[in-house]
Structures are given as C-alpha cells and as structure tokens.
Amino acid sequence: MLDTLAQQLLLGLTNGMVFALIALGYTMVYGILEFINFAHGDVFMLSGFFALTLVSVLGLQDAQGFSLFAQLGLVLVLASAFGAVVNLLIDRLVYKPLRKAPKLAPLVSAIGVSFVLQNIGLIWGAMPLDVFGGGGQPAAPKSFPALLPTTNLLGNSAITLQLKDVLVIGASLAVMTVLYLLVTRTKLGMAMRATAQDPQAARLMGIDVDRVVAATFLVGGGLAGFAAVVYALYINTVYYQMGYQNGLYAFTAAVVGGIGNIPGAVLGGLLLGLVRAFSDQFIGAQWQPAVLFGILIVLLVFRPSGLLGSTAREKV
Amino acid sequence: MLIVDAIHAAHGAIEVLHGVSLKVQAGEIVTLIGANGAGKTTTLTCISGLHKPKSGKIAFEGKDLLPLPAHDIVHCGIAHCPEGRRVFPRQSVAENLALGAYIRNDKAGIRQDLDKIYSLFPVLLERRAQLAGTLSGGEQQMLAVGRAMMIRPRLLLLDEPSLGLAPLIVKRIFDVILELNRQGTTILLVEQNARMALKIASRAYVLETGSVIAEGTGAELLADPKVQAAYLGDA
C-alpha cells in the first residue's frame, strides 16, 4: 500500500511538472495581456515534433554515455528556442494586430491558431522519416525513443525510480528556479511585473510595453518547448493532438492556482498531476476528467480567483 | 521648453480638447486649473504620449513629440506623475522607486536621488519594504512623486497631487514641488486646488470645457474677479 502511494506520488509529481511548465506560459501571458493564448498547448505539441525530428537527425537513439547527455542537452535548448520563436511569431502575426480590438477577437483568433498549428503537426507527421513511421499515417502517435536507461535506481525496491524521473523533476525545478530569478531579480522581470499591474503607468516609467510582451511570449514559448522534450522523454510519444489535452489540463492548472499568478501555476500544475495520479489509481482512469474538472468546479465555487489569485484587483 | 499648439483630442467620438495651446519656459512652475472635465488630465496625457491628439503640435526643446510613443517621451526628459497616483500596488516601495529609475544606468546618481527622496519623505524610507498597495493615500502620493523624481526629468507633469489628501500632507507635497523647482526642475501642475496652485505658479492657464479661456501670472489670476468667482470660491 505504502509502495503504491509512493509510486503514485512520484508519477503525480513528474506529470505535474509538465503541467506546471505549460501552465506558466498561459499564466504569464494572461498576467500581462489578460488574454488566454489557446494556441499555447499547440506550441508545446509542435516543439515535440521538432524535438523528435532533431533526435532523428542527430541519430540520438544510438548515442550513449556522455555524447547522449550532451546531445540531449542540445535538444532541450533547441526545442526551447523553437517554442520561444514560434510563440513570438504567433503574437507578432496574429495577436499584436488585434491588441486594441475587443477582447473576444484575439481569443477567437487563438482558437483558430490552435487549429492551424495542429494541421502543421499533421503535415509534419507526414514527413518521410523513420521516426515518423515513414510518414504514412500523419495522425498516428509517433513513438519517441526511450533514450534514457530504464534501470531502477532503487535496485530491487518495489518502487520504480528511473533516471528519467529524476531528470524530469530536476530539470523542471532548475528551469523554474531560473524563471523565478528572472522575474524577481532582473530589470526585465521588474518591468514584467509592473506591466502586469498597470501597463499605462509602466509606459510612464519608460518601459517599452511591446518589448515586455514579446519577452513574455518568448519565455512562455521556451517553457512550452522545454516541457515538450521532458514530456516526450517521459511518455515516449508525440502526436498532433497532444497539445490539446495537455494544454487544457495545464490551463486548468493555471486557473486552479490563480490565473496570472506565477507560483500559482506551479502549485496548480503539481496539484493537478497528483490528483490525476491518485484518481487513476484509486478511482479509475475512466473517471479522470470527471474527477479533475469536478474538483476545479468545487474549488472555483469557494475560491473564484484560484488558490493564490488575489480576490480583487487592488483599487486605491 | 514645451510648446503645445492648438491640440484637438477626443475620447472616442467626443472631442474633449478644442485647440488647446500653452507654453512652459525652462525653470517655471506653470499651472493648469479648471473644473472637472475641462480637459486638464487629457492635456497632460497628450504631452506624455499616453493619448495622441487628433491634430495640433507638441514640441519639447524643439523636438516633435507627437510621433513618439510614451516610453520614448520619458527618455526626452519628461516625467508624468499621473492622476490617481498609479503606484504599482503589488510591488514594494523600494521597487516602485527603482522602476522610476528604469531608464537610467548611472548607479551613483540613482543612489543620490534615492537618498534625496528618502530624506524629503522619511516615511517612504520607513516603509521601503512594504507593498505600495498597503500605503495610505498620502504616502502613495509621496511615492508617486518620488517615483517621478527618480526619472530625473527636466519637465515634471503633476496631475492633481493634492487630490483627497489631508491639508498637512498637501502642504508637504507642495513644499517638495517648490523645492524641486528651485533645484532646476520645470513643473507643469494640474490642480483643482486652484488657490494653492496659483500661489506657487509663475504662470497659469484656465481651462474650461476643452479651451483655454484665460492665462496670466499666478498673481494676476488670483486677483481676477472671474477666476475668483469660478474657481476660488469667493463671492
């Protein structure tokens, strides 16, 4: 029993880290623009395809030892950069021209972008690469090679702890720490927080709000790209709809934590991962969406602005 | 120093400024008085670039401000301390002041200005770690003025610094405005407290429903019977 609990705790934590990384992108953009970027999950998905393509090009499935880790590091960096650039491009091409339009316009456009990106995922999946199964079935899940050794680090213990678990949790924590330092200790972070509270006043300080928005999309997209590699290493699959489901869960996590609140997104992501793991184990996987969204509804009834969200905007 | 020439500005379909013109010379305190809705705040937001007029000209030290976005106008040496204080409520007092120095890189100068602000408003030093949203109205106004000072502007636009504050605090703020002016900062002050503003002003403009209806030195307008009747509460 205790073993099962520990195992589910671990599973929940690792899944929760992925949700948290994606949720951060939703929440940071919302914090600055009060806009839900519904295409964010699909940036995550495309980054997964990008990472798988890189793995294939580098021949990573055959690499070992130091060379494997060095190249894996490279994949992480490049996939993050890819996610960042895609996210920024979407903003510049689609959302920015609508900045002064009524709020519904960018929102509906984001849903449109989401479909466009999913179709790009389908086209990408049709590429005649071995890792895409020759490209014959674009919609089929593509298997992402298990690059890391699957030996149990705990030896013969009933609890399985693999290197990929350690890597997922460790790398996610490291990235979140960097993000935390960026937001709290740097001039850019200070400008981001000021812009989130009062963009007009921020402009009066000489802050170029447009550049702050660009930086936010870059950071959010980078986190999504990073999350995609972590997810692919862990679940060993990428497919063109993976952004839809994970994006929806991550968005829920951001709302649970208090949308716009950065620590809230991490808390919400971890909570969602844990609840999901335990509900799958003790209630049944078929109940997963019902349990998760049921909890969301109950929570929002009692705390409409999420766990860490401020109950109202300070008006003074 | 600042020339505002016949600006027309609208909020949506409603024109609120019908050709406002005014001038500020280096070293002056110029005040803009008028009733609610006369267009005082809109005039200031047009100068700082938050609002773009439909027509007219605004030039600062010979430079055309109209094509510049608000954050570039700050770089020209104009600070705008906006109506309603607009401090960043979820950031500390110290961080609000640091945001004022956002465009600056001269560490020694920033340190010096910070010390100056803390000595002018000791309460800000006391509360430097506190979130700005938890300060009282008067303290927030001091913070807003201090934050604008951190820009080290040559021209400071102040919008209703006395609004809703106790008389003692208003006096404190006005003393600071005079002190800043004495040290070389040019001031354009928008005020409802017309008597107090006219007393410290070198020159003043009276704005009524979007047009300048009178101008003169502070003393002249204080003595003007029409101004007295309309804005100073004298019968």
Side-chain angles (χ1 to χ4, degrees):
Chain A
M1 181 65 190
L2 218 56
D3 291 345
T4 319
L5 272 180
Q7 192 69 61
Q8 293 306 322
L9 195 70
L10 182 65
L11 182 70
L13 268 182
T14 40
N15 276 321
M17 287 292 179
V18 174
F19 291 145
L21 287 170
I22 310 176
L24 282 166
Y26 279 105
T27 229
M28 287 181 75
V29 166
Y30 183 87
I32 302 259
L33 293 176
E34 293 188 17
F35 154 71
I36 306 291
N37 178 12
F38 275 116
H40 186 69
D42 300 292
V43 172
F44 162 79
M45 176 272 294
L46 277 189
S47 306
F49 275 84
F50 178 81
L52 182 53
T53 311
L54 268 184
V55 165
S56 160
V57 170
L58 294 171
L60 219 57
Q61 55 274 51
D62 304 320
Q64 268 172 356
F66 175 75
S67 137
L68 171 69
F69 286 103
Q71 295 187 73
L72 202 55
L74 183 71
V75 171
L76 269 174
V77 170
L78 289 180
S80 305
F82 174 85
V85 171
V86 169
N87 213 27
L88 180 65
L89 276 178
I90 296 171
D91 175 54
R92 294 290 113 150
L93 292 175
V94 185
Y95 306 147
K96 194 173 170 224
L98 296 172
R99 207 81 88 209
K100 290 199 172 106
K103 288 199 168 169
L104 225 45
L107 200 69
V108 172
S109 305
I111 295 171
V113 171
S114 164
F115 284 122
V116 170
L117 295 187
Q118 287 185 32
N119 279 290
I120 294 178
L122 276 174
I123 296 171
W124 202 325
M127 270 171 50
L129 280 178
D130 282 348
V131 284
F132 292 137
Q137 284 177 302
K142 319 289 175 209
S143 81
F144 194 97
L147 297 171
L148 298 168
T150 51
T151 44
N152 189 356
L153 297 178
L154 298 180
N156 289 328
S157 159
I159 306 165
T160 320
L161 178 73
Q162 293 181 16
L163 186 58
K164 67 179 184 184
D165 299 310
V166 179
L167 208 72
V168 166
I169 296 176
S172 304
L173 284 178
V175 165
M176 287 169 194
T177 310
V178 170
L179 178 73
Y180 175 78
L181 294 176
L182 171 81
V183 172
T184 55
R185 302 285 159 84
T186 67
K187 214 167 164 175
L188 174 66
M190 188 168 80
M192 280 178 162
R193 282 177 292 133
T195 307
Q197 293 173 68
D198 190 339
Q200 294 282 73
R203 292 169 72 197
L204 293 180
M205 301 298 109
I207 293 169
D208 185 344
V209 168
D210 206 42
R211 278 174 58 184
V212 170
V213 171
T216 309
F217 272 94
L218 277 175
V219 171
L223 291 169
F226 187 88
V229 180
V230 164
Y231 175 88
L233 278 177
Y234 196 72
I235 309 285
N236 300 114
T237 309
V238 298
Y239 63 109
Y240 83 107
Q241 278 183 323
M242 76 188 217
Y244 171 72
Q245 196 201 16
N246 290 291
L248 196 60
Y249 278 1
F251 170 60
T252 308
V255 173
V256 165
I259 188 97
N261 184 299
I262 289 178
V266 175
L267 180 68
L270 292 180
L271 200 68
L272 212 71
L274 288 172
V275 169
R276 200 175 88 146
F278 285 108
S279 110
D280 282 3
Q281 175 71 27
F282 297 110
I283 305 175
Q286 71 273 31
W287 290 97
Q288 190 193 88
V291 171
L292 279 185
F293 289 96
I295 289 177
L296 171 75
I297 291 168
V298 171
L299 189 116
L300 289 184
V301 166
F302 291 102
R303 282 198 68 95
S305 50
L307 290 172
L308 301 184
S310 51
T311 38
R313 289 216 138 185
E314 281 95 325
K315 280 269 179 240
V316 270
Chain B
M1 185 183 216
L2 177 78
I3 299 169
V4 174
D5 188 15
I7 55 168
H8 290 258
H11 292 300
I14 304 155
E15 186 172 283
V16 290
L17 297 182
H18 318 295
V20 168
S21 298
L22 58 91
K23 276 187 188 138
V24 181
Q25 318 276 358
E28 281 188 313
I29 296 180
V30 173
T31 184
L32 206 54
I33 59 173
N36 264 335
K40 306 184 299 287
T41 294
T42 307
T43 305
L44 287 196
T45 53
C46 282
I47 297 168
S48 65
L50 287 180
H51 191 96
K52 289 294 173 189
K54 290 193 301 183
S55 65
K57 277 189 196 137
I58 302 176
F60 179 66
E61 295 175 335
K63 189 169 187 176
D64 182 8
L65 294 187
L66 285 191
L68 298 180
H71 61 264
D72 282 342
I73 291 177
V74 179
H75 287 264
C76 297
I78 299 180
H80 180 178
C81 181
E83 186 183 25
R85 311 184 271 268
R86 305 285 283 271
V87 295
F88 300 106
R90 291 192 298 277
Q91 276 164 295
S92 67
V93 167
E95 211 169 27
N96 268 272
L97 292 172
L99 277 158
Y102 182 79
I103 61 168
R104 295 171 59 184
N105 285 313
D106 55 322
K107 274 201 171 153
I110 292 173
R111 183 73 245 169
Q112 203 183 343
D113 285 353
L114 200 58
D115 289 342
K116 188 165 107 187
I117 288 160
Y118 283 148
S119 72
L120 283 172
F121 302 118
V123 66
L124 295 183
L125 178 65
E126 233 170 80
R127 314 212 154 180
R128 66 187 181 281
Q130 214 168 308
L131 293 187
T134 64
L135 300 182
S136 74
E139 290 159 352
Q140 287 191 15
Q141 187 63 61
M142 294 176 196
L143 179 57
V145 172
R147 189 180 61 173
M149 286 167 66
M150 287 303 286
I151 295 171
R152 203 184 258 192
R154 289 194 297 285
L155 172 64
L156 176 59
L157 313 175
L158 288 163
D159 198 345
E160 304 269 13
S162 74
L163 194 71
L165 302 185
L168 262 177
I169 296 171
V170 174
K171 184 165 182 316
R172 179 99 200 87
I173 302 241
F174 270 69
D175 284 346
V176 170
I177 295 171
L178 273 172
E179 176 61 28
L180 276 176
N181 179 250
R182 223 171 280 133
Q183 292 172 7
T185 311
T186 309
I187 310 262
L188 178 56
L189 170 69
V190 157
E191 257 301 340
Q192 289 222 6
N193 190 338
R195 184 184 305 275
M196 204 136 176
L198 289 174
K199 272 186 191 154
I200 66 165
S202 351
R203 286 184 312 110
Y205 294 84
V206 181
L207 211 56
E208 201 173 280
T209 57
S211 306
V212 173
I213 56 153
E215 59 175 287
T217 64
E220 278 167 9
L221 289 180
L222 271 175
D224 183 327
K226 273 193 291 190
V227 172
Q228 285 178 354
Y231 303 106
L232 302 176
D234 301 346

